[in-house]
Amino acid sequence: MSAARQEKVRNIVCLLAGSFVYSVGTHCFVVPANIAPGGASGLALMVNFVTGLPVGVLTMVVNVPLLILAWIYLSRKFAVSTAMTCIACSVILDFVVAPVFPMYTGDRLLSSLFGGVIVGAGMALIFMSGSTTGGSDILGYILQKKKPHLSIGRALIIVDGVVLALSIFVFQNVESGLLGMISLYACTSVIDAVLYGNDAGSMVTIVSRYPQRIADRIIQDLERSATVMNGRGAYSRKDTGILLCTVRRSQFGRLKQIIRETDSSAFVMVTETTEVFGEGFKEIVS
């Protein structure tokens, strides 16, 4: 089997598995909790609460106008891919999960937490397949395209915030909005954990008179390496050293101690990284 075919099969498996996990989280925990944690599914859950119609069908109906907007303002490939994912999620939710899996009717807080975690795991698998669940993603991308200064993350917060606020009036209690926020936070946290893994770290740039001394201690004490570069101060016009190093977050405190003990006048810049590939971290895989 060719690499391209293997990749296609992998994406289909991730899509179907993600749709199944997403459907289980939605049906078993989110629906009985009477919450709407953002997106098209949140709107569908509110309509389901009022009408009793199947959540999967309602999600697809809500996504139809959004998919048309995606076709017009984004790209046809994105619209078709998202439409296929929406159909898969809707069919699996209404015809595979709902008839078989029971609903959890216990504590609403537990329901919102577990719902967010399970839905987030499913969405992460869908994202890994190269697709998206539509809904607020589409509106967020369109809003960001119309207002380029607005980040995707902020655009998504705006869209999901409107849905959460609306849920308070539909479910007729403030708890629905608050629990929806908890579920949404759990969902996004799990998505980040699955997509970016546990190898998040800190990239540290150190401008120092003694870059090699710091590098030697990093190698000895932290069992990490670093890159040493030559630099020149724009104001002082003196030669200086620049050290570039990436460490896990658990090692950052020790790195600061090494810098302080070796060159207390060093200039340090820290950038948080969501994922690190390479020796000492994880391998680069497709």
Side-chain angles (χ1 to χ4, degrees), residues 183-215:
S183 185
L184 182 62
Y185 178 78
C187 177
T188 54
S189 297
V190 170
I191 290 173
D192 287 343
V194 174
L195 293 182
Y196 300 128
N198 296 319
D199 279 323
S202 300
M203 184 180 73
V204 185
T205 304
I206 309 162
V207 180
S208 170
R209 297 169 295 171
Y210 314 112
Q212 193 57 54
R213 294 184 190 177
I214 296 175

Side-chain angles (χ1 to χ4, degrees), residues 121-184:
M123 291 181 68
L125 288 172
I126 291 172
F127 292 157
M128 288 170 64
S129 73
S131 187
T132 177
T133 54
S136 57
D137 291 346
I138 296 175
L139 287 178
Y141 282 120
I142 293 175
L143 188 58
Q144 199 273 336
K145 188 173 183 180
K146 294 295 183 181
K147 297 182 179 295
H149 65 280
L150 192 67
S151 68
I152 289 291
R154 189 167 296 178
L156 292 175
I157 289 174
I158 293 173
V159 174
D160 289 333
V162 171
V163 175
L164 286 169
L166 185 61
S167 70
I168 295 175
F169 298 98
V170 174
F171 296 120
Q172 298 182 350
N173 65 78
V174 177
E175 281 187 357
S176 291
L178 298 176
L179 292 172
M181 290 176 63
I182 292 173
S183 185
L184 182 62

Side-chain angles (χ1 to χ4, degrees), residues 43-67:
L43 293 174
L45 288 165
M46 286 187 280
V47 177
N48 166 264
F49 177 78
V50 176
T51 65
L53 294 173
V55 177
V57 172
L58 291 172
T59 302
M60 191 67 241
V61 170
V62 173
N63 269 306
V64 168
L66 298 176
L67 291 169

Side-chain angles (χ1 to χ4, degrees), residues 28-48:
C28 297
F29 296 99
V30 177
V31 173
N34 287 339
I35 57 175
S41 60
L43 293 174
L45 288 165
M46 286 187 280
V47 177
N48 166 264

